[in-house]
Amino acid sequence: MKSHILNMLIGMMLLFLASCSDILDEQPRSVLTPDLFTTKKGIDAGLTAAYDGLRYISGAQASQFSTQYGTDEFTTGEGTPVQSLDMSNGSNPINASTGDVSTFWNNLFPFINTCNGIIEYGTEAGMDESLIAEAYFLRAYYYFQMVRMFGGVPLDLGSGELKFNTSQSNVSRRNTEDEVYTAIIADLKQAETNLPVNPRLPGCAFRATAIHFLAKVYLTHGDYQLALTEAEKLLSPANPYTENSYGIALLTSYAEVIRPTNEHNSEVLFTCEHTNESYEFNETAAGFGSGPTGKDDRSCSYYTPNYPARFKLRNSDAGGVLLRTLEYQRPWMRFTSTHFLRQVIFADKTNDSRYHATFFTAYLNNNVPVTGLLGTPLEVGDTAFVFADNEVSDVYKATKNYRIYNPSEITREIFPGVKKFADPNRKDVNDASGRPFILAKLAETYLIAAEAAMETGDNTKARNYILVLRKRAAKEGREQAMIDTTPATIDINYILDERSRELCGEQHRWFDLKRTGTWRTRAGSYSINGTNNFPRDIKLHYDLRPIPQGQIDLMGNSDAEKAAYQNPGY
C-alpha cells in the first residue's frame, strides 16, 4: 500500500525460527533499507523477516477474534462478554474502528513489501530461486488473507504493480478482487514451480504448501475444477498414511496431528513458528503480561474456562477444587463453544474420536484431597469434574463421587476447554504458547478436494475423500460405523460439519461460512446449552470487513475518493 514504507524492526523478526535446530546468523539491524536488498546476506535477512508477519495473524488475539467470533463454532466467554465481532449479547456494530480486523490491514503490507524487495532484487543478489519462491508464497499468503477480509486491496505499492516500495506516498487506490486473485494465483504458481519438496527449515514453505494454498485459492474464487485438480496432486486416498512424492501423508491418528511437540509431522503443511525457550525470541512477555507487539499466541488460554473458580463440586462450596496448571492452561475465557458445535456437529461421540481429542471433557483433582459427592475422599489424580457427552440423569449422577455437567448445564462460565491448542511445555502457567501454530494440514486438502468435487457434480469422489478422514477418525473397531453413518450424498452442510470436526478453532470458520454463503443460516443465532437461544445481527455488509478508519483519515485522496475507498455499509 502506498501509505506504507518499509520500516521494520527485525532484531526479533530474525528469531522466528528460534525453536529450530538451524538458526539464521544474520546480524540484527534496526531498519531494513533498500540498499540492504543489494546483498545476499541482507536479502536472506529480509526473507527471515518476511515470515514474522505470520505472528500477527496466527493464534494471536486479532486473528482468533476475527475468524472465530460470530460463527457456528464459538461465541463469547465470560472473559469477553460483549464483542462486536460476535454480533450478539448487546455488542456494538462492527465499524471502521473495530480493532481486531484492523490488524490484518495495518500490519501485513510492510511484510508484503519485504517480499517485493526479495523478488525484485533476489536474483541479482545471488539468491537461490527456491528462496525467492518462499517470498512469492508469503506475498500470496498475506494477500489471500487480505482479499478474503476486505475484498479488493492495493496491489500498487509505490513503484508499480507488485514492486518494492522505496518512496512514501499518502495516496492510495484499491485494486479489484479479481485483480488481487490474479496476482495471488500467479505468485502461488511461481512458488509451486520453484519451492523445494522438503522445507529448508521447520516452518518454511515447501512445494506442497504452495499446492495446498493454490487449491484453496481456486476454491475460494469459485474455480472448482482447478481447485480439484490442484488438490489431487497431494492426495493418496488408496494409501493415505504412506508419504507420497511430495513427502507428505496423513497420520494414522487425528490426536497425534495436534499433539504438543508433534507439529512438524508429515501431515502439517505450514506453521507459524514460536518457541518456549525465550520470551524475547517468542516476542511475548513472561507470566501475566502480553507481548508489546500483539504477536503472542494465546490460543491455549482463549478457549479455557475459569476452572479454579467456577468448577465446584457443590454449588454451595465456598471455593473451587482445582489449581491453575500448565496442563489445563491459563483461564482467559474468551471463547465458549456453541451447543451446535458440541452436540450437533460432534453428535457422534461414540464412533468418532475427534470430540474427545479436541475438548477437555474430564478434569482431575490437582490440588489436595477433598471430600467427594459420595462422602468419600477425592484424592489427587482422581476425576473431579466431567462434561457428559450427552444428558445423563440425576440418578446416574448420584452414583459418582465427582461432579458431572450435562450439556444443558453449560454456560459462558462453565464449559469444556479446548484441548487442541494446549501447551503444557510453557515456562509458566500464565505464559503465551510456544507451540508452532498450525496453518495448513493435509486433512484440509482432502476437504478442499471433497468440496470442489461436490461443486463439479462428482458426489462419489467427494464422499470418498470425506471417508478417508472419517475412517482415520474412527475409534478402535468403529471404522465401519463411521462409513455407515456418512451420508450417501454429500452436500455443503455436511462438508462444513466435517471441516469443523477436523479444524474447529483453527482460524478457518468465518472464511468457510462466508465462502459457502451459509454464514447467516448456520450462525444467525446460537445456543450455549441447547435451551437459551441468542440471535445475531449479521448485516449483509459484514461479508467484507471495514477498511480501518485510521487508514482513510491519513490518506491524501479527495473526500470523494476516501468515501469510495471504504467498503459499503461502513
Side-chain angles (χ1 to χ4, degrees), residues 239-252:
N239 197 16
Y241 307 124
T242 300
E243 289 191 13
N244 59 25
S245 60
Y246 292 97
I248 57 173
L250 292 179
L251 299 190
T252 58

Side-chain angles (χ1 to χ4, degrees), residues 88-367:
S88 68
N89 197 32
S91 62
N92 295 317
I94 300 171
N95 57 49
S97 298
T98 301
D100 293 310
V101 295
S102 300
T103 292
F104 288 78
W105 186 282
N106 293 338
N107 291 292
L108 294 189
F109 281 113
F111 295 98
I112 289 171
N113 202 32
T114 301
C115 294
N116 294 339
I118 295 164
I119 292 166
E120 187 166 342
Y121 298 113
T123 301
E124 182 181 345
M127 194 178 208
D128 189 84
E129 285 297 319
S130 65
L131 297 177
I132 300 174
E134 291 184 36
Y136 275 107
F137 170 79
L138 287 171
R139 184 168 71 178
Y141 182 84
Y142 292 141
Y143 266 127
F144 187 41
Q145 311 313 309
M146 298 280 281
V147 74
R148 291 189 295 168
M149 277 275 177
F150 304 104
V153 295
L155 288 173
D156 186 336
L157 299 181
S159 302
E161 193 163 281
L162 296 179
K163 293 292 185 178
F164 180 52
N165 180 12
T166 59
S167 61
Q168 188 173 13
S169 172
N170 66 349
V171 176
S172 182
R173 74 174 184 92
R174 292 173 62 182
N175 289 72
T176 66
E177 283 193 38
D178 280 342
E179 288 171 336
V180 177
Y181 273 107
T182 296
I184 292 169
I185 290 167
D187 277 0
L188 288 175
K189 287 181 176 179
Q190 183 76 16
E192 179 180 341
T193 299
N194 292 303
L195 281 173
V197 171
N198 299 308
R200 65 182 174 91
L201 291 171
C204 290
F206 55 107
R207 190 167 301 167
T209 318
I211 294 171
H212 170 91
F213 278 101
L214 183 52
K216 190 168 183 175
V217 167
Y218 281 140
L219 183 74
T220 305
H221 197 236
D223 302 321
Y224 300 121
Q225 186 57 57
L226 291 172
L228 179 59
T229 301
E230 196 69 19
E232 287 184 325
K233 293 178 182 179
L234 301 182
L235 308 187
S236 307
N239 197 16
Y241 307 124
T242 300
E243 289 191 13
N244 59 25
S245 60
Y246 292 97
I248 57 173
L250 292 179
L251 299 190
T252 58
S253 162
Y254 172 81
E256 277 297 291
V257 182
I258 56 175
R259 177 173 57 83
T261 72
N262 194 41
E263 296 83 7
H264 299 127
N265 60 65
S266 65
E267 184 169 333
V268 172
L269 304 178
F270 195 43
T271 58
C272 173
E273 294 296 294
H274 290 275
T275 176
N276 279 314
E277 300 304 314
S278 165
Y279 296 121
E280 181 182 15
F281 290 0
N282 208 25
E283 297 183 283
T284 189
F288 282 94
S290 294
T293 57
K295 298 178 185 177
D296 43 350
D297 176 359
R298 296 278 176 178
S299 55
C300 60
S301 300
Y302 291 145
Y303 299 86
T304 301
N306 191 358
Y307 56 89
R310 298 297 191 184
F311 291 11
K312 297 180 180 181
L313 289 174
R314 307 162 188 86
N315 291 338
S316 59
D317 287 352
V321 173
L322 304 178
L323 294 176
R324 183 182 297 194
T325 64
L326 285 166
E327 179 185 6
Y328 294 144
Q329 315 302 302
R330 176 183 177 182
W332 267 22
M333 312 92 70
R334 298 298 192 260
F335 290 94
T336 300
S337 53
T338 64
H339 184 268
F340 184 75
L341 176 64
R342 295 188 313 274
Q343 300 305 122
V344 179
I345 292 177
F346 278 112
D348 185 359
K349 303 176 180 68
T350 301
N351 302 308
D352 196 327
S353 68
R354 289 172 292 188
Y355 177 77
H356 293 108
T358 300
F359 289 96
F360 284 108
T361 57
Y363 291 77
L364 308 183
N365 181 9
N366 60 10
N367 193 351

Side-chain angles (χ1 to χ4, degrees), residues 8 55 71 99 110 189 320-321 372 380-381 386 400 407 421-422 439 513 558:
M8 292 184 185
R55 287 188 170 182
T71 71
K189 287 181 176 179
V321 173
V380 175
V386 167
K400 303 301 179 185
F421 301 124
L439 296 170
L513 297 181
S558 69

